[in-house]
Structures are given as C-alpha cells and as structure tokens.
Amino acid sequence: MQMEHSESTAFSSSKLPFLAITALLLSACVTSRVEDVRAIETHISAGEGVVIMAKSYHLGNETESKFISCVGDSLGRGSKRLKVVPNGAFIDSLFPWFEPRTAPAKTEGLATLMARPGVAKKIESQGVRYIIWLDGNTDRVAGGGSMSCAAGPGGGGCFGFAWWQNDANYEASIWDLKGQESAGTISTDVSGTSFMPALIIPIPLIARTQTKACKALAEQLSIFLKQDGSA
Amino acid sequence: MTKNIRIAAVSILLALGTSGCSSQVELVNPNIPKLLIEKIPLTVVVKYPDNFNHYVYEEDVIGDSNWTIDLGGANKTMFNNLFGSMFTSVKVIEEGESLDDLQFDAYIEPSIEKFEFAIPAQSRTKSYAVWIRYRLKVFDANGVQISNWPVSAYGKQMGGKMNGADTIKKAAVLAMRDATAVIGIQMDKATGVSKLSSAHGPAETTPASTVGESAKTVSTDEESAISE
C-alpha cells in the first residue's frame, strides 16, 4: 500500500513540471489592450468617492453585474484604494433619477438633474464626486473541437479536445459631478482562448478574460482618478 | 406490497415529471424606494381593482415550461408608495365605498392591462424581460374623466447564476420600478392632474366621460414617452 503511494507520488512528481508548463503555455493565451482618453484633470479630495454603474439597457447595454462588482471591489482594495459607494444604495437614494429609462445619457443632462429638488444634496451627502458608467460585455466569439465522454460499470472517461475564445470589451465613461462634465473614457479590450484537453479526465485551461479586463480597467481607473497624487 | 411499491414509484415519477414542467415566481414586497420628487399639493382618492390584491399571470411557454408569476399585492404596494410620494394627501377606498362623503381634488383608478415576459429560449438572448402595461384614469372632483393614460414599463435582467424564476422576479421588480419612475416623473405632464387643485378653481378640460362611464373615453391616450 505504501509502495503504491510512493509510486503514485513519483509519477506525479515526474509529470508535474510537464503538466505545469503545458498548462502555463496553454492558459497564457490572453491579450489585452487598455486605452484612456482624458478630457479634464481629475482630483479626488478626502471624503470624496466614486459610484460605478452600468449604462442603461435601454441603450442596448448588457454589462454583467458581476463585472461591475469586480471593478468596484478592485478599486476599493489595495494601497491606491478609492472610496466606492455601493451603486444599489446610490440609485435607491436618488430614485427615480438613475433608473435605466431616466438616468442622464449625456453629461448635458447633468445640470438639469442636479437642479432637481434634493438631488445635489443627496449626492453630496454620499460623497460621490465621479460617476463611472460601464458599457460592454464579454462574449464567446469562436470555439471548436470535440469531446466525448462515456461511463460504464467499470468506470468512465472523456476523450477529445475543445477550445473557445472569449472577447471582453468594456468602456468606462467618467463623469465629474462637481464640474458637471465628462472627465474622459477608458476602454479595455481583452481576448482569451481557453482549452480543454481530455484524456480520461478533462483538464480545463481557462483564460480568465473577464477577470483580466476587470483588473486592467480598475487599475487604469485608479491611475486616471488619482493622476495628481492626491487622495 | 408489490402493488404499493409500484404506486409509490409511479407517484414519484409523476411528481418529478410535473415539477420539471412548471416554473413558479412569487413576488413578495418588491424593493421600490420612495421618490425624490416634489409633492403635488392635491388630495387624491385612489381605488384599486380587485386583481391588485393578488395578481397572477400564467403562460405555457412552448418548448420550456408552464410559468406562473404571482405578483401578489405588489401592484398595490407600488401604487401606495408612488402616490404617497407624489401627493400631499392620499386616501384609498375599497370596493363599494362611496365618494359622496369625501372631499378630494382628484380621483384615480389605476389598472393593469397587460403583462408579458420573455425568457432566453424565446428571445435568443441571455436576458429575461418583463413588460407591464398599466392604465391610469384620472377624474376631477365632479367625476369627470380628465385623462386615460396608458403607461408601458419594461424590466430586463441578464441570466447568470440565478435560476430562471429568480431572474424573472428581478426583471418584474425592474419593470415595476420603471413604471413608478415614469408615472412619478411624467404623470402631471401627461394628465394635467395638478390643475385639479381646488386652489386653482375648476379644471379647464373637455369632459370625456364620468366615473363608471369608461366607454366614452377619448381624452389623453398617449403612450408614455421614453424620457421626460
């Protein structure tokens, strides 16, 4: 029994580097591009923060709520963290002015919105300086291969190879609520190919396209908003 | 003994079979916040239809399952919250209660005209959607109908880790929030209800019909615009 165990360990030890290198080579198929366009200088004072929201689905947007949470969590963590106001509480406190149908689609609508009774006060009380509107989504753009699995009384297994490519395209529009103007936009385009070879056991080598897009966008947003080094 | 086992097995199979072909959605206490708007100085009386106490929509979706969407009393909760945020004084009357002894500026009869939904199998998208069409009839203190306003509301929720029933529930809440937002922002513009204030004197409107005389309705019958 012990021998079996040691044999098994020896097998794992000899194969492990090969598997790890193969996994790294295969799972490293992610390319990313991040661009920002700055319209004005940005500055966040102490007590000021941001709120991250999805652009309206009335405008055809389908940004995943998971992605919005990911960007918010990433911005609110680490040494360069920003104050991120939860979007649900922000939208509820300003109901009905940030609903998908009523939210301003352009910065030109900000002046009218801020002039409405109670709106500016509610925004100020929550310390929201910038609204970050997210637009875009992650889509599967290609895929192929084949895999078949079978199971019988003596056991089961899979054989084959499958792959798929996901593209994550997102754009963040940053609105300065104090200046009532657009501060700029940041776009990220991440493409990743995942593989799943199967020789009895399927080994998924997943390209975390959306997570990569989230981290890249959050990092760039953090730099963009803290450009002058103030916190 | 064998017969009992057979009956039990058939019952279990039947139960499994039927439960796999139906989707139940129950909406309890939707999250619709108070509106951040200025109140219109009016005393209004509101009467809800019976189905506002328990609205149930059923549809057999071909190729999917039989859906039962139970909104319960959510419509009543929504309109109570909405009118409470919109007007300085609101009184809700029940079926059979008379308006004769009441002092008011406007009388409103909301109703639900249509409920529709779409699941990914139908729309070929990743999202679940709900459409609700409400109708608001507004009368002045003399019982003259001044407006008959249809309001179309829409809610969309992306399918994710949640099951279909929970996603439809979220889409229904979004549709109700949409209706609340549209009515809260546009009702005065669409119906002219604020002109009914007793402080403004009699409303200058063309009588279209009176309470209980809906067949003659010809006044404002426009779909709500997308934005203000």
Side-chain angles (χ1 to χ4, degrees):
Chain A
M1 193 67 183
Q2 268 185 340
M3 202 174 142
E4 267 181 32
H5 178 71
S6 71
E7 268 179 21
S8 164
T9 310
F11 173 82
S12 300
S13 304
S14 64
K15 296 283 181 191
L16 206 60
F18 171 73
L19 282 173
I21 290 164
T22 311
L24 276 171
L25 283 172
L26 291 174
S27 64
C29 291
V30 176
T31 56
S32 68
R33 188 169 55 87
V34 183
E35 283 176 6
D36 71 60
V37 179
R38 180 180 289 278
I40 55 164
E41 294 299 305
T42 47
H43 175 86
I44 285 198
S45 304
E48 288 181 337
V50 301
V51 65
I52 300 162
M53 298 204 284
K55 270 198 180 169
S56 170
Y57 50 63
H58 284 286
L59 302 170
N61 183 37
E62 293 191 333
T63 305
E64 306 85 352
S65 51
K66 188 172 78 171
F67 185 79
I68 297 164
S69 308
C70 174
V71 174
D73 291 347
S74 302
L75 274 179
R77 272 202 311 256
S79 57
K80 293 179 186 174
R81 68 177 170 271
L82 291 170
K83 176 186 167 186
V84 181
V85 175
N87 59 9
F90 179 80
I91 293 167
D92 282 358
S93 73
L94 287 152
F95 186 72
W97 303 111
F98 281 94
E99 292 303 296
R101 196 193 311 217
T102 59
K106 292 178 179 172
T107 45
E108 285 77 15
L110 274 179
T112 316
L113 175 68
M114 297 297 264
R116 293 191 187 283
V119 171
K121 202 175 161 189
K122 279 274 181 200
I123 290 174
E124 199 185 326
S125 69
Q126 293 174 83
V128 175
R129 172 70 189 269
Y130 295 100
I131 294 182
I132 298 167
W133 293 103
L134 294 183
D135 191 0
N137 62 343
T138 301
D139 259 339
R140 181 166 299 184
V141 292
S146 68
M147 187 182 298
S148 54
C149 297
C158 298
F159 183 79
F161 179 80
W163 66 275
W164 61 96
Q165 187 188 335
N166 284 350
D167 274 7
N169 295 304
Y170 295 94
E171 186 178 86
S173 304
I174 302 122
W175 289 10
D176 181 358
L177 292 178
K178 201 174 256 184
Q180 297 179 8
E181 60 191 326
S182 171
T185 56
I186 298 173
S187 58
T188 176
D189 181 359
V190 179
S191 182
T193 308
S194 303
F195 305 94
M196 185 145 27
L199 194 63
I200 300 175
I201 299 165
I203 303 162
L205 304 163
I206 310 290
R208 305 212 172 270
T209 316
Q210 196 180 53
T211 309
K212 174 82 179 162
C214 159
K215 285 186 178 157
L217 189 62
E219 199 172 308
Q220 197 62 29
L221 275 167
S222 183
I223 295 164
F224 186 96
L225 291 168
K226 289 193 166 184
Q227 190 211 24
D228 61 356
S230 57
Chain B
M1 183 67 180
T2 318
K3 194 181 172 188
N4 285 342
I5 292 168
R6 273 186 195 160
I7 290 168
V10 168
S11 304
I12 289 165
L13 283 173
L14 273 173
L16 281 171
T18 48
S19 67
C21 293
S22 69
S23 298
Q24 301 276 337
V25 181
E26 198 179 342
L27 193 60
V28 183
N29 202 13
N31 170 32
I32 301 176
K34 292 234 172 290
L35 286 87
L36 186 64
I37 54 172
E38 274 193 327
K39 285 190 176 186
I40 301 170
L42 281 183
T43 299
V44 300
V45 171
V46 183
K47 187 178 165 191
Y48 298 119
D50 282 345
N51 65 5
F52 268 37
N53 289 316
H54 194 189
Y55 186 88
V56 181
Y57 178 81
E58 279 188 68
E59 186 178 325
D60 194 1
V61 178
I62 298 164
D64 192 71
S65 59
N66 185 270
W67 284 76
T68 305
I69 300 170
D70 183 353
L71 298 185
N75 286 303
K76 203 171 180 176
T77 308
M78 176 192 116
F79 275 100
N80 278 339
N81 174 44
L82 168 65
F83 292 142
S85 296
M86 281 185 76
F87 303 108
T88 45
S89 176
V90 181
K91 176 166 173 56
V92 178
I93 60 165
E94 299 299 328
E95 187 65 46
E97 262 188 85
S98 169
L99 291 170
D100 295 344
D101 304 327
L102 299 171
Q103 290 284 321
F104 60 90
D105 300 308
Y107 168 73
I108 304 170
E109 271 186 7
S111 60
I112 184 164
E113 274 197 344
K114 208 167 189 178
F115 185 98
E116 287 178 26
F117 72 96
I119 59 172
Q122 295 168 298
S123 62
R124 307 278 173 217
T125 65
K126 293 180 199 165
S127 58
Y128 291 75
V130 168
W131 294 264
I132 309 174
R133 190 156 81 178
Y134 293 99
R135 187 170 286 277
L136 273 80
K137 289 182 180 174
V138 183
F139 301 84
D140 69 9
N142 300 315
V144 177
Q145 184 176 300
I146 64 143
S147 183
N148 183 3
W149 184 40
V151 178
S152 296
Y154 174 66
K156 186 170 98 169
Q157 181 68 40
M158 298 294 287
K161 284 178 184 169
M162 281 189 295
N163 63 38
D166 285 342
T167 315
I168 278 286
K169 194 193 287 186
K170 278 204 132 190
V173 173
L174 287 171
M176 292 176 86
R177 283 178 73 116
D178 189 40
T180 308
V182 171
I183 297 168
I185 294 172
Q186 296 181 359
M187 185 172 174
D188 190 28
K189 198 175 165 186
T191 67
V193 69
S194 64
K195 290 178 191 154
L196 298 179
S197 169
S198 47
H200 288 91
E204 291 172 16
T205 51
T206 309
S209 64
T210 53
V211 177
E213 207 183 323
S214 55
K216 289 182 189 172
T217 300
V218 288
S219 61
T220 48
D221 194 7
E222 295 165 6
E223 286 285 343
S224 54
I226 289 295
S227 59
E228 195 183 21

